[in-house]
Amino acid sequence: MAPARRLSRWLPAGLLILGLAGCGGEAPSAEAPGAVTGPPAYGDTIVEASIGDISGLIPNITSDSASHSVGSLIYDGLVRADRDLSLTGELAESWTISKDERTITFHLKKGVRWHDGAPFTARDVEFTYRYMRDPKTPTAYAEDFLQAASLEVVDPHTVRVHYERPYAPALLSWALWVLPAHILEEPWRKGVDLRTTPQNRHPIGTGPFRFHEWKTQEKVVVLANPDYHRGRPYLDRVVLRIIPDPATIFLELKARNVDMAGLTPLQFRRQTEYPAFAKFFEKYRYLSNSYAYLGFNLKDPRFADRLVRQAIAHAIDKQEIIEGVLLGLGQEAVGPYKPGTWWYTDQVRTFPYDPDRAKALLREAGWRDRDGDGILEKDGKPFRFTIRTNQGNSVRIQTAEIIQRRLKAVGIDVNIHVVEWAAFINTFIRKRDFEAIILGWGLGLDPDQYEIWHSSKTGPDQLNHVSYSNPEVDRLLEQGRRTFDRERRTAIYREFQRVLAEDQPLVFLYVPEALTAVSSRIRGIEPAPAGLAWNFIRWYVPQDAQRYTR
Amino acid sequence: MLAYVARLTVVSALQMLAITLLAFLVIHLAPGEPVVLQQELQTTQSPQQRQTLRELYGLDKPLHVQYGVWLNRLVRLDLGRSFSPDGRPVWEKIRERIPVTLSLNLAEICLIYLTAVPLGVFAAVRRHSLFDRLATVFVFIGFATPDFWLALLLMILFGVQLGWLPISGLRSLNWEYLAPAAQAWDLVTHLVLPIFIGAFGGLAGLSRFMRGSMLEVIRQDYIRTAQAKGLPERVVFYKHALRNAVLPIVTILGLSLPGLIGGSVIVESVFAIPGMGQLAVQSVFARDYPVVMGLLTIGAGLTLVGNRLADVCYGIVDPRIRIAGRSA
């Protein structure tokens, strides 16, 4: 329903297929050895399933993962993340960063063509840049482009972007899909809403696959681009079937009508553990790019007290949640980053499950059970609060129930309120009308989390939902975005994690694992820190195992 | 008769206006707004962009102005454009789904009527017989079984275990490459389960209804008279009684008119059929106001037309209704 949303920073092209982007950390593990062998061959089709239809084929102005997955097959960015998440060129051959770190010069690949044969040039990059900055463009990804001061086209294959100040996430922001100027610039100049142009239904890109058809709510089909500048993909065709019901997707997978689908922990552990499934599918598991948290409204005087937050952290058994709700397919979170990324550290204060310590901290904060009803009071008011979370996410709801029980044991009475997503966001989150929430954040490929933690971002349309304000964190976040130097950034973000852990503005609960089943006839899958699909164009089916010949 | 029809038309127009106004208010007052959904939790957005979207959709204007704009469009038979990033005209989105839903529902209704009417009639004529009891048990099972659960069971049985029928969707992946006869067969196999599931619940209700209606007629004096005259039972039941017993079915058929394009959400979701029910639910969740309003307007319009048709038919069949000038 409402997944943990991505934290803005692009998951680069090709990584997004089915949300299969990994992000640092140990490589995913395959569960079963493949039965199929043979040299790489061209041909065959991979059938994937998506719960939601795509909403358009100009991905820059959509925000749903299905549109981004398909968009990433059709379009390219200037840069992309490689297997170990380092940035490498896609439409850019190379780039240089000036000494003062305020100018990035991209040298574009020569000889790249759009699917309609038109040459790709700096003009396309310039158009994309201007379109993204246009206040009339209905996009959620303008911020990175508004950070730039200017962009100059040096020659048809060189562009230079200037920034007022060094802006570290800038490089990654150029993983955004480049749009064709020769098709879109004219309507855009005339003030036409680009969503109504043919490009939104029959797109022309530079990517590894060419658009073939989109039957609303039924399927999207793309075909291999034989002229792709990084080499023709082995697979002839990618079909994305739209199946709104997760149970149906699972049945289609079991019936082998779908080649690749995400699994729930229950399906992974219990419902796919039989020989026939192991014969036809390989299962992969790796840490996903997200974490779940219990957030507090820090404007509430009870939660403004750090002792209370620390006590609650001690009262919750994270391992119990991982075992009970995720069936062990997850890892405890100690901060807002995914374990294994270069900026991550676990050398921070942790809060192991310790109800006695929790009680002691609460007593220290002035909470006592004076009337013997098992609920703590302070100033005559019992410690009662409501955890709100969104409907349609059973994992979050079950997490809330476990937390409710654990907090009861230390004298805090918790109610749970589950709300439909749109209402949840609009009524409670935007208006900051909550005491506590269980939500998740999606994580990107850059440690910058300015928008989430900076004290200037607590307005109704902004993302610092919990109203966190800490001058030291503000300072670290500002410094972290102003340098490209990896070592300096590592030091800054590790310090940021230490401060955050000490402060516990929210209880970081767990990082769930992404669970995927892929047909075992598909070879060439190399699980890496970047996840599964980073080398999607190199996936193949050996000649004698090919199933869809037409 | 003309005056009667004219009066019905005026009343219907007023009702239509009231329905759309109410619907418009309810939708817009529900928490959540499309802008938020499209942009929520994206750290790259700037607040001004959100305002941009609001202006783009006209959501920054007062409600009565928005309704005025919408109504003005409606009069010109324009339902506006969807708020979804595809930005397509609402009518286009609805139109492309009508054929699927309509054919599915027509097939379901045919199946329901062809099964339920005889079932009800036999059960009534042979009241308290073994057949009647079995039919009753069957009907209550039908009432009680959740659609989606039965659907999943049948999908597992026929799709996964036996592999006889496709599990979901409308067409196989290689549909374009099949011969016309094979294409038709492919479509049929895809529709077997959805039609069965869709008809299963309705079947139960209608057969009970038919049974009750038939029983009521059988108790009438004129039936007793016919039997006393020594007419054969077949003629009494299946000619005299059935005619009158089927009358209420006319009403039900009239009322099922809006249902014809209102897809079943559950069946369409479980079987991944791109119909109207799916569109309605997804639009509501996405707060895609123009699409929701478009669907409501069409649904309300058809409901009213269905009701009126039933009224007019009654008027034709039964002069007393015309004279009383019923307009409900």
Side-chain angles (χ1 to χ4, degrees):
Chain A
M1 295 300 280
R5 300 304 162 99
R6 282 215 330 278
L7 219 171
S8 84
R9 305 289 163 228
W10 293 101
L11 287 174
L15 271 181
L16 259 170
I17 297 156
L18 267 188
L20 286 186
C23 178
E26 70 275 33
S29 58
E31 289 281 304
V36 183
T37 51
Y42 292 104
D44 212 356
T45 297
I46 183 167
V47 183
E48 300 175 11
S50 164
I51 285 188
D53 195 4
I54 58 174
S55 56
L57 284 160
I58 301 177
N60 311 41
I61 49 174
T62 63
S63 47
D64 59 295
S65 61
S67 303
H68 290 175
S69 309
V70 175
S72 298
L73 298 174
I74 296 170
Y75 298 92
D76 283 328
L78 292 186
V79 298
R80 66 183 177 92
D82 208 350
R83 64 172 306 149
D84 59 354
L85 293 171
S86 53
L87 286 182
T88 175
E90 189 154 61
L91 286 170
E93 191 78 65
S94 61
W95 60 88
T96 49
I97 295 170
S98 64
K99 264 210 164 28
D100 63 2
E101 298 190 321
R102 286 174 42 210
T103 305
I104 308 176
T105 307
F106 288 104
H107 304 281
L108 307 180
K109 270 188 188 165
K110 297 188 171 93
V112 176
R113 294 195 171 274
W114 291 95
H115 296 160
D116 61 359
F120 158 76
T121 65
R123 189 182 142 210
D124 299 307
V125 180
E126 186 197 24
F127 164 73
T128 305
Y129 167 83
R130 281 187 294 133
Y131 177 62
M132 294 307 289
R133 286 170 57 98
D134 179 358
K136 289 200 294 294
T137 301
T139 178
Y141 310 107
E143 194 59 39
D144 283 336
F145 293 85
L146 292 168
Q147 291 279 345
S150 64
L151 178 143
E152 58 172 311
V153 174
V154 180
D155 63 46
H157 298 289
T158 315
V159 285
R160 208 168 270 150
V161 198
H162 302 284
Y163 293 83
E164 293 286 351
R165 292 180 291 170
Y167 180 61
L171 197 51
L172 184 63
S173 70
W174 288 99
L176 186 83
W177 307 282
V178 177
L179 301 170
H182 68 286
I183 292 173
L184 295 176
E185 192 159 27
E186 197 180 326
W188 176 65
R189 274 189 201 288
K190 288 181 183 156
V192 174
D193 179 354
L194 294 192
R195 298 179 309 167
T196 63
T197 58
Q199 180 75 8
N200 204 18
R201 295 246 7 140
H202 305 278
I204 297 292
T206 52
F209 290 87
R210 291 178 177 181
F211 173 79
H212 177 64
E213 70 171 336
W214 171 17
K215 283 207 166 86
T216 308
Q217 277 295 333
E218 200 175 329
K219 63 177 177 183
V220 183
V221 183
V222 294
L223 305 176
N225 172 10
D227 309 322
Y228 187 51
H229 58 90
R230 288 171 50 217
R232 179 202 193 282
Y234 284 120
L235 292 166
D236 269 349
R237 197 167 54 149
V238 181
V239 177
L240 184 74
R241 283 191 56 195
I242 291 103
I243 303 174
D245 191 304
T248 308
I249 292 183
F250 186 55
L251 291 182
E252 287 282 25
L253 185 79
K254 287 175 84 141
R256 295 169 52 213
N257 298 327
V258 164
D259 294 319
M260 181 160 139
L263 300 174
T264 63
L266 191 68
Q267 289 166 346
F268 190 94
R269 281 266 189 249
R270 308 214 179 116
Q271 297 171 345
T272 50
E273 288 294 300
Y274 56 94
F277 195 89
K279 182 178 166 195
F280 292 112
F281 289 96
E282 285 195 36
K283 292 196 283 186
Y284 297 89
R285 51 182 285 204
Y286 51 93
L287 282 183
S288 70
N289 298 306
S290 65
Y291 69 89
Y293 66 85
L294 168 69
F296 308 109
N297 188 336
L298 300 172
K299 290 219 164 91
D300 184 323
R302 295 170 300 175
F303 300 121
D305 185 343
R306 187 203 297 194
L307 287 174
V308 170
R309 301 194 301 263
Q310 293 179 338
I312 290 176
H314 273 303
I316 295 172
D317 186 350
K318 296 178 190 176
Q319 204 49 46
E320 168 187 54
I321 295 172
I322 291 166
E323 290 302 324
V325 181
L326 300 176
L327 304 181
L329 298 161
Q331 197 174 321
E332 286 186 34
V334 296
Y337 293 128
K338 177 173 156 173
T341 43
W342 54 259
W343 52 86
Y344 171 85
T345 177
D346 57 5
Q347 300 304 305
V348 297
R349 180 169 171 188
T350 54
F351 294 83
Y353 173 60
D354 186 348
D356 295 337
R357 180 96 188 89
K359 285 178 193 163
L361 284 167
L362 286 165
R363 198 169 311 116
E364 198 181 326
W367 291 92
R368 282 186 178 71
D369 181 12
R370 291 182 175 82
D371 55 8
D373 64 350
I375 306 295
L376 303 173
E377 300 97 28
K378 187 178 177 180
D379 307 328
K381 289 200 186 103
F383 202 153
R384 273 200 182 92
F385 69 92
T386 299
I387 295 178
R388 292 201 157 112
T389 191
N390 63 293
Q391 198 178 20
N393 189 320
S394 59
V395 167
R396 283 181 195 163
I397 296 166
Q398 288 163 3
T399 300
E401 287 163 352
I402 292 176
I403 289 175
Q404 179 183 39
R405 180 168 148 264
R406 287 295 171 198
L407 292 185
K408 182 100 190 176
V410 297
I412 301 174
D413 188 24
V414 173
N415 291 315
I416 298 171
H417 183 198
V418 180
V419 197
E420 183 254 352
W421 178 251
F424 178 63
I425 292 296
N426 209 52
T427 313
F428 300 115
I429 299 284
R430 276 192 70 218
K431 297 182 180 152
R432 309 290 183 252
D433 176 13
F434 61 85
E435 292 168 297
I437 46 177
I438 291 181
L439 261 181
W441 274 117
L443 298 169
L445 302 178
D446 191 277
D448 178 44
Q449 293 195 359
Y450 186 90
E451 304 285 330
I452 294 179
W453 301 103
H454 198 273
S455 60
S456 65
K457 297 291 179 182
T458 53
D461 277 347
Q462 293 169 318
L463 299 179
N464 188 342
H465 306 311
V466 294
S467 308
Y468 183 60
S469 170
N470 178 336
E472 196 182 353
V473 164
D474 285 356
R475 186 181 52 80
L476 289 165
L477 289 167
E478 285 154 24
Q479 286 177 347
R481 353 171 67 173
R482 298 293 165 217
T483 174
F484 282 82
D485 184 283
R486 191 189 261 205
E487 269 175 42
R488 281 204 54 211
R489 292 192 87 200
T490 304
I492 291 168
Y493 287 113
R494 292 195 169 171
E495 182 57 27
F496 161 67
Q497 286 166 84
R498 275 189 282 277
V499 176
L500 220 48
E502 186 64 41
D503 227 6
Q504 285 290 300
L506 33 91
V507 180
F508 300 98
L509 296 170
Y510 54 80
V511 180
E513 285 182 8
L515 309 167
T516 313
V518 186
S519 166
S520 48
R521 77 175 195 282
I522 292 163
R523 315 305 306 155
I525 303 177
E526 291 177 31
L532 274 192
W534 67 273
N535 67 337
F536 186 69
I537 59 172
R538 304 267 71 86
W539 288 14
Y540 67 92
V541 179
Q543 200 69 50
D544 53 359
Q546 294 194 359
R547 184 173 163 190
Y548 297 93
T549 45
R550 282 209 298 195
Chain B
M1 187 73 198
L2 263 180
Y4 174 62
V5 173
R7 195 172 53 228
L8 285 183
T9 313
V10 172
V11 171
S12 305
L14 287 174
Q15 282 176 328
M16 195 70 205
L17 194 70
I19 292 170
T20 56
L21 180 63
L22 200 66
F24 195 88
L25 288 176
V26 168
I27 294 172
H28 281 76
L29 294 176
E33 62 169 334
V35 174
V36 171
L37 288 177
Q38 283 181 27
Q39 298 219 324
E40 187 53 40
L41 310 191
Q42 300 282 7
T43 53
T44 34
Q45 78 187 54
S46 57
Q48 93 193 37
Q49 228 103 28
R50 184 167 279 184
Q51 201 47 40
T52 302
L53 273 181
R54 283 195 191 108
E55 284 162 22
L56 187 77
Y57 298 147
L59 293 170
D60 52 339
K61 300 188 182 79
L63 264 189
H64 62 274
V65 176
Q66 290 184 44
Y67 180 68
V69 170
W70 181 82
L71 202 61
N72 194 1
R73 276 212 203 101
L74 184 70
V75 172
R76 287 174 283 130
L77 296 181
D78 174 11
L79 292 171
R81 277 184 180 275
S82 162
F83 284 173
S84 135
D86 63 11
R88 294 166 69 209
V90 171
W91 174 236
E92 200 178 292
K93 281 187 124 164
I94 292 176
R95 195 188 50 200
E96 72 181 7
R97 289 166 184 254
I98 286 179
V100 174
T101 301
L102 197 63
S103 31
L104 206 62
N105 284 332
L106 278 175
E108 275 170 28
I109 285 184
C110 289
L111 183 64
I112 289 174
Y113 275 78
L114 288 177
T115 327
V117 171
L119 202 71
V121 171
F122 285 136
V125 172
R126 308 250 176 283
R127 200 164 21 142
H128 303 318
S129 67
L130 181 65
F131 176 82
D132 184 27
R133 287 193 185 141
L134 282 177
T136 306
V137 170
F138 165 76
V139 158
F140 283 122
I141 289 174
F143 263 136
T145 311
D147 283 0
F148 70 94
W149 179 77
L150 184 64
L152 286 174
L153 285 190
L154 295 180
M155 283 154 100
I156 291 170
L157 177 64
F158 292 111
V160 181
Q161 309 278 4
L162 298 170
W164 292 353
L165 291 172
I167 294 171
S168 69
L170 275 178
R171 289 178 275 257
S172 297
L173 282 181
N174 60 349
W175 196 79
E176 293 94 13
Y177 307 107
L178 297 172
Q183 283 187 343
W185 178 244
D186 185 64
L187 207 57
V188 168
T189 55
H190 275 89
L191 289 176
V192 170
L193 284 182
I195 289 173
F196 177 75
I197 296 289
F200 194 66
L203 192 77
L206 195 75
S207 71
R208 290 316 276 175
F209 187 86
M210 192 65 226
R211 180 179 180 270
S213 170
M214 189 76 184
L215 280 177
E216 207 172 314
V217 173
I218 289 174
R219 289 197 198 98
Q220 302 282 334
D221 290 346
Y222 70 89
I223 297 291
R224 196 170 314 133
T225 311
Q227 283 173 322
K229 277 196 330 191
L231 279 176
E233 193 161 282
R234 197 168 37 84
V235 178
V236 175
F237 285 141
Y238 301 121
K239 194 168 166 199
H240 296 285
L242 189 57
R243 263 195 188 172
N244 285 317
V246 170
L247 253 187
I249 300 279
V250 171
T251 322
I252 297 208
L253 254 178
L255 289 177
S256 63
L257 189 68
L260 276 180
I261 65 145
S264 152
V265 176
I266 291 170
V267 168
E268 286 178 12
S269 294
V270 171
F271 290 105
I273 291 171
M276 299 278 278
Q278 255 191 41
L279 182 68
V281 169
Q282 284 161 350
S283 309
V284 169
F285 279 127
R287 303 291 190 271
D288 193 341
Y289 301 147
V291 176
V292 177
M293 280 309 291
L295 287 164
L296 271 169
T297 308
I298 292 172
L302 283 171
T303 307
L304 287 173
V305 168
N307 270 324
R308 295 300 161 250
L309 273 180
D311 286 346
V312 171
C313 289
Y314 269 146
I316 293 168
V317 177
D318 187 345
R320 285 173 305 179
I321 294 172
R322 273 208 303 273
I323 295 157
R326 215 188 63 184
S327 64

